[in-house]
Amino acid sequence: MTVIAFPGVHRRVPVALGACLFSFAGFWIAQRAADVSMIDLMVYRAEGETVRAGGDLYALRATEAELPATYPPFAALLFTPLTLPDPASLRTLATAGNLALLVVFVGFALRIAGHARVETVWWVAAAAVWCEPVWTTLRYGQVNLLLAALVLWDLSGRPGHRWAGVGIGLAAAVKLTPALFAVFLFATGVVARSRHRSGGPWLRHARGAALTFAGATLLAAAVLPYDSWQFWTRTVFAAGRVGHPEDTANQALRGVLARLLHTPEPGIWWLAQAALTGALGLAVAVAAELRGRRGPAVAACAVTALLICPVSWSHHWVWCVPMVLAVARRHVIAAVLALVFFSYALWWVPHGPGRLELRQNGVELTLSGLYAGAGLLFLALTGTETIRQSRTSRSA
């Protein structure tokens, strides 16, 4: 029986690989036909040039859009090699690198979700490249897939592995949002101990993330003392630097509320919603983790971070891949979530110059809040499923 099975396996993998390469080739052609500018990649390159020239990083305005630097100084240090290729070559390398990272990201997401087949990685990657968050990530030359892959690599290893926390710490040093994963690990360890269980692995993992983040941040401070002072005392609090909160691309709760209330600054309403969502989202993630459901737990933590962040652009939602995989066995729900991210529906509404998003009607408000709605739905489903599982185990 085993001898008969292997040829089938060997056939399935090349077919899946071929389908993935065909999909990637089509994607590459479509991106070139769209003449994408990779504007964020050009900002990263300008940051690297500023570091090499010893300029003021947070006074930088790059590209025709005059975009500022918004990431911590450690990110700018990592961007210095981007100054070596010319812009055209850099765009090609970035596209190829992001496609490779997509495969790695999908592989880690499948491992955490409990799907081990190699051919599944190729099939999922072939489809995922066409969803709006991934398309936009490659269109802008963003770092989302790199950061997400670092986090998933960190969380897909065995508990207490040698490098536990390094991936999360580095990702958070580049962009602060992944730091919530360290909070999630710490909270899980504390809750486990309160229930007279060993919380050591989670607490050590959180400590590793915190130490890595601190080390990377201190390294940046030693190399870029002025820029580090500027970022940690001023820039980190200036959420308005990255754009208008009501922009359609902002799929965080703050963006949804700004559009819903027709105001550029939802103020206390957003703070209250973010605090409540953050507490409930982390509770769902911790509960799922303690029930041994790491896939849903990791996705719930990612969704929580995206929802409570002041700005979560649509391309930040590459975490939709682990979200869908976490509910893959519930076919209708998985199909609904996939439809949201493959539909590009948030761009069907009026948007662009003139702050048109502040005048959206009911249908437009629904479409422009689909990602946040999908995230809240996922948290509700994960929490419900975890509670049901806990009740079943207690009554057994």
Side-chain angles (χ1 to χ4, degrees), residues 161-227:
H161 65 89
R162 182 179 181 182
W163 300 101
V166 171
I168 293 172
L170 287 175
V174 172
K175 192 172 185 177
L176 296 178
T177 309
L180 192 67
F181 285 97
V183 178
F184 153 69
L185 291 167
F186 178 76
T188 304
V190 170
V191 172
R193 281 195 172 178
S194 71
R195 297 178 180 178
H196 307 291
R197 293 174 54 182
S198 174
W202 291 292
L203 294 174
R204 286 192 295 272
H205 204 149
R207 182 178 61 199
L211 290 174
T212 302
F213 171 80
T217 302
L218 289 173
L219 172 63
V223 179
L224 302 170
Y226 176 78
D227 294 320

Side-chain angles (χ1 to χ4, degrees), residues 3 21-22 30 71 92 101-102 112 178 212 216 220 256 271 278 291 300 320 335 355 370 386:
V3 175
L21 292 176
F22 181 79
Y71 295 173
T92 299
L101 280 169
L102 175 61
I112 288 177
T212 302
V256 173
L271 292 174
R291 295 300 308 172
C320 65
R355 310 189 79 164
L370 279 177
T386 303

Side-chain angles (χ1 to χ4, degrees), residues 9-19:
V9 172
H10 289 316
R11 284 193 298 270
R12 288 198 298 269
V13 173
V15 169
L17 173 58

Side-chain angles (χ1 to χ4, degrees), residues 331-387:
H331 302 304
V332 174
I333 294 170
V336 169
L337 289 178
L339 179 62
V340 167
F341 294 102
F342 277 91
S343 67
Y344 293 69
L346 76 162
W347 298 114
W348 300 354
V349 305
H351 61 277
R355 310 189 79 164
L356 303 176
E357 291 92 341
L358 292 176
R359 299 188 295 274
Q360 290 181 353
N361 60 35
V363 173
E364 293 165 350
L365 288 169
T366 300
L367 293 175
S368 66
L370 279 177
Y371 289 10
L376 291 171
L377 173 63
F378 177 81
L379 290 179
L381 291 171
T382 302
T384 301
E385 186 67 24
T386 303
I387 292 172

Side-chain angles (χ1 to χ4, degrees), residues 286-313:
V286 168
E289 175 73 3
L290 291 174
R291 295 300 308 172
R293 306 177 68 228
R294 170 148 286 193
V298 170
C301 182
V303 167
T304 301
L306 291 169
L307 289 172
I308 67 175
C309 187
V311 175
S312 292
W313 301 128

Side-chain angles (χ1 to χ4, degrees), residues 72-391:
F74 180 70
L77 287 181
L78 298 183
F79 294 153
T80 53
L82 301 181
T83 62
L84 301 178
D86 61 86
S89 299
L90 181 59
R91 290 186 180 96
T92 299
L93 291 171
T95 301
N98 262 327
L99 289 173
L101 280 169
L102 175 61
V103 175
V104 173
F105 172 57
V106 168
F108 286 135
L110 283 166
R111 180 190 297 181
I112 288 177
H115 302 284
R117 291 183 177 180
V118 175
E119 65 268 24
T120 307
V121 176
W122 299 114
W123 285 117
V124 173
V129 73
W130 296 99
C131 72
E132 192 275 339
V134 175
W135 167 278
T136 310
T137 287
L138 273 81
R139 173 190 174 190
Y140 292 151
Q142 264 282 343
V143 294
N144 304 308
L145 290 170
L146 172 61
L147 301 184
L150 276 172
V151 171
L152 288 186
W153 163 75
D154 199 339
L155 292 169
S156 64
R158 60 181 176 78
H161 65 89
R162 182 179 181 182
W163 300 101
V166 171
I168 293 172
L170 287 175
V174 172
K175 192 172 185 177
L176 296 178
T177 309
L180 192 67
F181 285 97
V183 178
F184 153 69
L185 291 167
F186 178 76
T188 304
V190 170
V191 172
R193 281 195 172 178
S194 71
R195 297 178 180 178
H196 307 291
R197 293 174 54 182
S198 174
W202 291 292
L203 294 174
R204 286 192 295 272
H205 204 149
R207 182 178 61 199
L211 290 174
T212 302
F213 171 80
T217 302
L218 289 173
L219 172 63
V223 179
L224 302 170
Y226 176 78
D227 294 320
S228 295
W229 175 259
Q230 285 288 100
F231 180 82
W232 294 108
T233 61
R234 295 183 182 179
T235 307
V236 69
F237 304 108
R241 283 170 57 86
V242 299
H244 299 307
E246 76 275 5
D247 281 354
T248 296
N250 185 9
Q251 292 296 300
L253 287 175
R254 181 167 173 249
V256 173
L257 285 172
R259 294 187 291 271
L260 182 64
L261 299 175
H262 306 293
T263 175
E265 187 47 68
I268 190 65
W269 295 104
W270 166 63
L271 292 174
Q273 290 286 342
L276 179 62
T277 302
L280 293 177
L282 274 177
V284 168
V286 168
E289 175 73 3
L290 291 174
R291 295 300 308 172
R293 306 177 68 228
R294 170 148 286 193
V298 170
C301 182
V303 167
T304 301
L306 291 169
L307 289 172
I308 67 175
C309 187
V311 175
S312 292
W313 301 128
S314 68
H315 52 77
H316 295 162
W317 286 78
V318 293
W319 287 98
C320 65
V321 176
M323 281 174 61
V324 173
L325 292 175
V327 296
R329 291 182 177 84
R330 304 179 70 173
H331 302 304
V332 174
I333 294 170
V336 169
L337 289 178
L339 179 62
V340 167
F341 294 102
F342 277 91
S343 67
Y344 293 69
L346 76 162
W347 298 114
W348 300 354
V349 305
H351 61 277
R355 310 189 79 164
L356 303 176
E357 291 92 341
L358 292 176
R359 299 188 295 274
Q360 290 181 353
N361 60 35
V363 173
E364 293 165 350
L365 288 169
T366 300
L367 293 175
S368 66
L370 279 177
Y371 289 10
L376 291 171
L377 173 63
F378 177 81
L379 290 179
L381 291 171
T382 302
T384 301
E385 186 67 24
T386 303
I387 292 172
R388 185 183 298 117
Q389 186 182 45
S390 298
R391 289 176 176 174

